[in-house]
Amino acid sequence: STQSTWENRRAQGPVDFRTTNCQFMGKDTILQDVERWFFENDDFANEMEAFARDNCDIFSTEEDCEQKLEYTEVYKKFQALFEAKLEAFVNSQNVTVEDFYELAQQENAKSEDGDTPFKWIVATSDYPVFLQMMQDEKRKKTSS
C-alpha cells in the first residue's frame, strides 16, 4: 500500500532529541521547538492527512500529468492551512513569525550543505512536495 508523505513522516516514529544529533541543539529554542512540533505533533499530521484525503480526487496519479489550474487553487488552500498552523504554533511560543523566519534563515545560512531540519519543514509547503503528497493520497484512496 502507498503511504502518504505524512504517514511516512509519522512511521519513522517520534524523534528522541536526547539521542538524535539535532542541528538545533543548544541553539535558539524556537527552532528546536518548531522542529519537534513538526515531526511529533499528531494533531498537525492528522489535519494535513485529512486535507490531502478530502482534496486529492481532482489530481491525476500520472507522473507527467498536465498541471491543471484546480491544482494551484488546492495548493494555495494547503499553503494557507500549513502557514496558519505554523504561525499559530510560533506565536504560542511567544515568538513573532518574523523573528522565527529570521532565525531559521540564519540557521540555513550557517549550514555547510544547506540540509537543516527547517529546510524540510519549508519543503512540505513547496509545490512538487505537495503534488506528490496529493498523488500518493489519491493512489491510496483508489486502491482501498
Side-chain angles (χ1 to χ4, degrees):
S1 75
T2 305
Q3 287 189 321
S4 72
T5 304
W6 293 106
E7 286 173 324
N8 287 335
R9 178 193 62 76
R10 293 172 73 191
Q12 296 169 0
V15 177
D16 185 344
F17 285 90
R18 293 165 299 180
T19 60
T20 302
N21 182 14
C22 173
Q23 293 193 350
F24 292 155
M25 277 297 182
K27 299 185 180 174
D28 300 287
T29 304
I30 187 60
L31 297 177
Q32 182 181 346
D33 291 345
V34 167
E35 182 181 6
R36 186 174 289 138
W37 167 81
F38 179 79
F39 288 108
E40 294 184 5
N41 186 308
D42 285 341
D43 291 339
F44 172 71
N46 289 337
E47 199 160 347
M48 295 299 108
E49 288 171 8
F51 180 92
R53 192 172 43 256
D54 294 345
N55 291 278
C56 70
D57 293 333
I58 66 165
F59 288 84
S60 168
T61 57
E62 301 298 318
E63 292 302 320
D64 295 326
C65 62
E66 176 186 345
Q67 299 300 307
K68 298 179 182 175
L69 184 58
E70 293 87 5
Y71 296 3
T72 304
E73 292 167 6
V74 174
Y75 175 60
K76 287 178 182 178
K77 290 178 187 175
F78 176 77
Q79 278 188 307
L81 175 64
F82 181 86
E83 290 171 4
K85 295 294 176 187
L86 177 62
E87 289 175 13
F89 177 77
V90 168
N91 289 331
S92 77
Q93 303 302 301
N94 297 317
V95 176
T96 67
V97 174
E98 294 78 15
D99 287 345
F100 167 72
Y101 281 122
E102 184 178 329
L103 289 169
Q105 287 173 345
Q106 289 171 8
E107 190 62 29
N108 278 340
K110 290 179 199 173
S111 171
E112 292 179 17
D113 61 2
D115 190 18
T116 66
F118 182 72
K119 175 183 130 184
W120 294 109
I121 293 170
V122 172
T124 304
S125 66
D126 280 352
Y127 184 77
V129 174
F130 166 79
L131 181 60
Q132 183 66 53
M133 179 181 73
M134 298 307 283
Q135 289 173 328
D136 290 348
E137 189 62 34
K138 183 167 183 182
R139 284 184 196 102
K140 179 181 162 192
K141 196 174 184 180
T142 56
S143 70
S144 55

